[in-house]
Amino acid sequence: AARALVAGGAQVALWDERPEGRAAAEAEGLPVVDLNDADWSQFAALMLSPGVPLTHPTPHWTVDKAKAHGVEVLGDIELFARTVNAAPEHKRPKVIAITGTNGKSTTTALIGHICARAGRDTRIGGNIGRGVLDLDDMHGGAVYVLELSSYQLDLTSSLHPDVAVMLNISPDHLERHGGMEGYVAAKRRILLNQGKGDTAVIGVDDPWGQRICTEITAANRRTIVPISASKAMGRGVYALQGLLYDATAERATEVADLLRARSLPGRHNWQNAAAAYAAVRGLGISAEEAAEGLMSFPGLAHRMETVGQVGRVRFVNDSKATNADAARQAMSSYPKFYWIAGGQPKAGGIDSLTDLFPRIEKAYLIGEASEAFAGVLEGKAAVDLSGDIATATARAYADATAKGQDAVVLLSPACASFDQFADFEARGEAFRDAVQGLGQLQPQPQPKGVRA
């Protein structure tokens, strides 16, 4: 954000509460200013990192200072949005924005892959990969495919996506939004500025999505495409038993056999595929090109990614599963598995996964959630308080090997990573390193995702 602002001629003042963050800014020659002592009357806006609390549990002290001095608070997505809105129409790029509790990253990467395969000049970023202001300069033929978190949407007011995708909603980040109502309101902001000619793709497999779809249908301005991975619909895009149907015209037509899409296993990925198909069709990409893109998608790192195999034991990296609903998607895909779980716990913990506990051969618990998870699993699954990724991986491998059968060791933590790692990517890489350290690996193709 600072680099983009400087390039645009703005004066910036950077502050980070971590010394290493300040040192990194100074090493680039960017001005570091202690905002505790700064003259806030000189500031036009405070650009907040999405990870810094805006309202809950309590506003960050910089937010309080900004409000006291009448300084606007915004995020990098909002700056991007204003830049797009200010561009002449012939220079304005197309924007596809994706949010939801689960599946955002896979769907964003999948949409980007389809757009790129269809010959569009595609940039992918936001809450995945590169920050939006680090992407290549915009022009009229470009397509920006942006994953947006609820934190980012809270800081955004003027984004006008040509296609907005809301995959699903389930309880998450409630402490940051003051409860479920605040969380849903943040997600809904992706639809705020849409109108005639725009497309809204809404997942209707949960009650919140159903309600939002009904409410915006009553507004009757944009094109609305409901999506489902659990039921046939008279209108929309849906997947049943792995077959994807387009029912946006007079009759439903089968457009893809997702059982043949190697990197899109399971019903949760069928919802992702339905969303991606509907989104790119809203941009004018043909049904044939969309279906081909679904089949050729290489997958996403840290999401049900096979990182190696030792003997008869396969290791699956699902570090992106930072809550119970996300972990359910991976756990439901295997009849039996050795489960590495834990980290910084989310509201509700793993209580909602009780029906899947019989599939767990043994659970290897790490991080802050270890004791609490062990209590929930007591009497329902064998537990090992491993403490860290390396120990958990080694013990799971030893137990799986001792059985002498084909086995899966699944890292699907159902927790945030911040107790032991900078982010879920670092946690996934630690798992990959631990697997590599077991030796005698049988090489596996690694999906690289989509890079801008």
Side-chain angles (χ1 to χ4, degrees):
R3 293 188 200 106
L5 286 163
V6 169
Q11 291 180 290
V12 298
L14 280 77
W15 183 246
D16 192 318
E17 290 176 333
R18 302 166 304 152
E20 60 269 27
R22 300 197 294 271
E26 288 173 336
E28 281 200 41
L30 295 167
V32 173
V33 175
D34 188 339
L35 296 182
N36 289 284
D37 305 320
D39 180 2
W40 281 76
S41 68
Q42 299 300 303
F43 293 147
L46 169 65
M47 182 169 287
L48 206 62
S49 164
V52 177
L54 177 67
T55 55
H56 295 86
T58 56
H60 192 258
W61 62 266
T62 54
V63 175
D64 288 335
K65 278 185 175 286
K67 289 183 176 176
H69 290 84
V71 174
E72 184 181 23
V73 181
L74 48 80
D76 60 343
I77 301 294
E78 176 61 17
L79 183 59
F80 168 81
R82 294 182 186 185
T83 307
V84 173
N85 295 342
E89 192 164 344
H90 69 282
K91 290 188 176 179
R92 208 172 292 163
K94 297 293 186 183
V95 177
I96 303 178
I98 301 98
T99 197
T101 305
N102 297 304
K104 295 187 297 294
S105 295
T106 298
T107 304
T108 301
L110 181 53
I111 291 171
H113 173 77
I114 296 170
C115 289
R117 294 277 294 201
R120 305 296 179 96
D121 182 3
T122 306
R123 296 95 193 272
I124 302 142
N127 196 48
I128 180 177
R130 294 162 64 185
V132 68
L133 299 178
D134 192 39
L135 299 174
D136 293 345
D137 287 345
M138 64 179 64
H139 62 80
V143 178
Y144 285 79
V145 185
L146 305 178
E147 176 186 327
L148 302 181
S149 70
S150 56
Y151 297 177
Q152 289 170 309
L153 286 167
D154 249 353
L155 293 162
T156 305
S157 58
S158 62
L159 180 69
H160 179 179
D162 299 277
V163 180
V165 178
M166 185 180 291
L167 287 163
N168 48 60
I169 298 179
S170 59
D172 199 15
H173 304 305
L174 301 189
E175 72 289 346
R176 270 293 301 269
H177 297 287
M180 194 64 192
E181 188 176 328
Y183 178 60
V184 174
K187 291 293 189 188
R188 284 192 67 143
R189 293 175 72 85
I190 201 169
L191 304 166
L192 197 61
N193 301 304
Q194 283 197 304
K196 189 176 180 181
D198 300 323
T199 300
V201 178
I202 311 289
V204 294
D205 287 340
D206 60 80
W208 293 282
Q210 289 174 13
R211 188 182 73 194
I212 290 168
C213 190
T214 300
E215 290 171 356
I216 67 169
T217 299
N220 196 29
R221 293 186 300 159
R222 72 207 98 192
T223 299
I224 300 164
V225 185
I227 59 161
S228 174
S230 65
K231 60 194 173 198
M233 297 186 296
R235 180 179 62 89
V237 176
Y238 60 90
L240 285 179
Q241 304 299 318
L243 298 179
L244 185 65
Y245 295 91
D246 183 343
T248 55
E250 291 183 3
R251 61 187 182 87
T253 57
E254 182 186 326
V255 291
D257 180 358
L258 298 175
L259 297 174
R260 294 174 45 241
R262 181 179 56 85
S263 297
L264 296 169
R267 195 167 76 176
H268 61 288
N269 273 318
W270 300 346
Q271 185 191 51
N272 298 339
Y277 175 89
V280 300
R281 293 289 287 128
L283 211 61
I285 290 172
S286 72
E288 293 74 22
E289 288 175 312
E292 189 282 326
L294 295 174
M295 292 301 132
S296 61
F297 180 56
L300 190 67
H302 310 294
R303 197 69 181 104
M304 292 179 65
E305 173 197 15
T306 297
V307 294
Q309 183 153 337
V310 185
R312 300 178 70 175
V313 182
R314 180 156 65 105
F315 296 86
V316 178
N317 170 20
D318 194 46
S319 182
K320 186 77 171 63
T322 58
N323 59 48
D325 274 0
R328 169 176 291 280
Q329 296 168 3
M331 295 167 72
S332 300
S333 300
Y334 306 104
K336 287 287 185 180
F337 53 87
Y338 295 81
W339 187 31
I340 301 176
Q344 193 175 76
K346 294 280 186 76
I350 56 171
D351 293 356
S352 63
L353 300 175
T354 305
D355 59 305
L356 294 173
F357 289 171
R359 300 185 181 213
I360 301 169
E361 293 279 10
K362 191 171 184 178
Y364 305 81
L365 303 179
I366 62 174
E368 289 177 8
S370 294
E371 295 289 346
F373 281 15
V376 176
L377 289 164
E378 187 175 1
K380 301 180 180 75
V383 168
D384 183 293
L385 294 174
S386 304
D388 59 65
I389 288 275
T391 303
T393 305
R395 290 179 180 175
Y397 170 61
D399 290 342
T401 302
K403 278 247 181 163
Q405 301 171 349
D406 291 341
V408 169
V409 173
L410 172 66
L411 169 68
S412 193
C415 282
S417 58
F418 305 125
D419 56 338
Q420 294 181 326
F421 300 96
D423 48 39
F424 73 83
E425 288 100 335
R427 178 169 62 190
E429 291 305 323
F431 179 62
R432 190 194 307 275
D433 290 345
V435 173
Q436 295 286 339
L438 296 173
Q440 298 293 309
L441 280 181
Q442 298 174 11
Q444 296 288 316
Q446 290 180 13
K448 297 174 181 172
V450 182
R451 298 189 64 85

